């Protein structure tokens, strides 16, 4: 399996899943700072020009959440997705929650502070996005009271995706005051097979 990745991006979710599964893979760095994700050879792999991408044999798969689910399903014995239908539904619920309610405000902040050309940024959306994140973060905060993992009694992909997303939130000081979320995220990144956190990944591309 080949993983097209760039250290400080959503590709962390996929690297983390592969590492938890203990599956060997070939990492391929696509240097986004050098615009490699917009080159024709990469656009042939992912016409959206985005990372991560997993290639498994003749299958090319994009979308970080779809990739982590595919990997967890491919190795069911590792338990990163539960077999039970109702437990599985809870895992799916939190994956969707992370990718929509938590991630989208963070994406809006990133776009309107750094990614869009300056003249297209809407500074007024940033406080709204911060407010949106905080109210949805409060839902996870309440959910995590008395829990070690997001869904069930063991680690699942419903931890790996939100933990990365919470680290992203932490990078923009959005976890301040949440008593559950920061320790939970740090616990997850203390796992033996965890990938580097976003700050370390950012440092690695500056080095
Ligand atoms: N929904 C996609 C989002 C992928 C995405 O936006 N990746 C960013 C890096 S974190 C990217 O490649 N951005 C390049 C661009 O938007 O031009 C996923 O979860 O895989």
């Amino acid at each position: 399996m080949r993983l097209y990745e760039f250290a400080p991006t959503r590709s962390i979710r996929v690297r983390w899943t592969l590492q938890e599964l203990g599956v060997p893979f070939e990492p391929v760095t696509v240097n986004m700072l050098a615009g490699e994700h917009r080159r024709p050879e990469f656009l042939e792999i992912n016409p959206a020009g985005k990372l991560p991408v997993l290639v498994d044999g003749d299958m090319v798969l994009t979308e970080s959440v779809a990739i982590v689910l595919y990997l967890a399903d491919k190795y069911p014995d590792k338990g990163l997705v539960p077999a039970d239908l109702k437990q599985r539904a809870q895992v799916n619920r939190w994956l969707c929650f992370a990718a929509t309610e938590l991630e989208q405000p963070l994406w809006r902040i990133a776009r309107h502070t750094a990614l869009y050309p300056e003249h297209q940024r809407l500074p007024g959306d940033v406080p709204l996005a911060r407010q949106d994140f905080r109210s949805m973060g409060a839902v996870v905060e309440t959910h995590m009271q008395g829990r070690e993992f997001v869904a069930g009694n063991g680690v699942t992909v419903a931890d790996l995706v939100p933990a990365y997303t919470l680290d992203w939130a932490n990078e923009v000081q959005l976890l301040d005051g949440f008593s559950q979320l920061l320790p939970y995220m740090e616990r997850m990144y203390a796992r033996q097979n965890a990938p580097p956190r976003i700050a370390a990944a950012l440092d690695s591309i500056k080095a």
Side-chain angles (χ1 to χ4, degrees), residues 9-10 13 32 37-38 49-52 63-65 107:
T9 69
R10 292 168 179 90
R13 293 169 172 164
M32 294 183 62
H37 59 302
R38 296 204 197 90
K50 291 181 184 235
L51 295 166
E63 289 300 322
S64 57
V65 175
W107 198 216

Side-chain angles (χ1 to χ4, degrees), residues 10-30:
R10 292 168 179 90
S11 43
I12 287 174
R13 293 169 172 164
V14 178
R15 171 172 275 277
W16 197 341
T17 306
L18 286 161
Q19 291 179 178
E20 291 278 349
L21 291 169
V23 174
F25 64 99
E26 180 195 341
V28 179
T29 297
V30 179

Side-chain angles (χ1 to χ4, degrees), residues 6-8 33 196-207:
F6 190 51
L33 298 180
R197 291 197 34 195
I198 293 170
L202 280 169
D203 285 346
S204 76
I205 61 168
K206 283 181 208 147

Side-chain angles (χ1 to χ4, degrees), residues 73-100:
D73 280 331
K74 182 166 172 158
Y75 302 97
D77 295 350
K78 305 278 181 168
L80 284 187
V81 278
D84 177 81
L85 184 63
K86 288 186 176 165
Q87 287 175 19
R88 170 77 181 230
Q90 292 300 328
V91 165
N92 290 342
R93 166 197 177 194
W94 289 109
L95 287 174
C96 291
F97 195 89
T100 57

Side-chain angles (χ1 to χ4, degrees), residues 96-168:
C96 291
F97 195 89
T100 57
E101 306 300 345
L102 298 181
E103 179 183 305
Q104 288 315 305
L106 299 174
W107 198 216
R108 280 159 58 203
I109 294 166
R111 286 178 147 162
H112 290 299
T113 54
L115 300 181
Y116 285 145
E118 213 159 333
H119 68 280
Q120 289 180 337
R121 293 179 199 164
L122 302 174
D125 194 42
V126 174
L128 292 175
R130 294 185 72 83
Q131 191 180 303
D132 290 345
F133 179 91
R134 294 282 306 176
S135 37
M136 292 299 101
V139 173
V140 192
E141 167 84 0
T142 303
H143 176 74
M144 287 312 291
Q145 269 158 22
R147 286 175 189 269
E148 195 175 342
F149 302 102
V150 165
N153 296 322
V155 70
T156 66
V157 288
D159 294 294
L160 309 186
V161 171
Y164 159 78
T165 313
L166 293 175
D167 189 28
W168 182 354

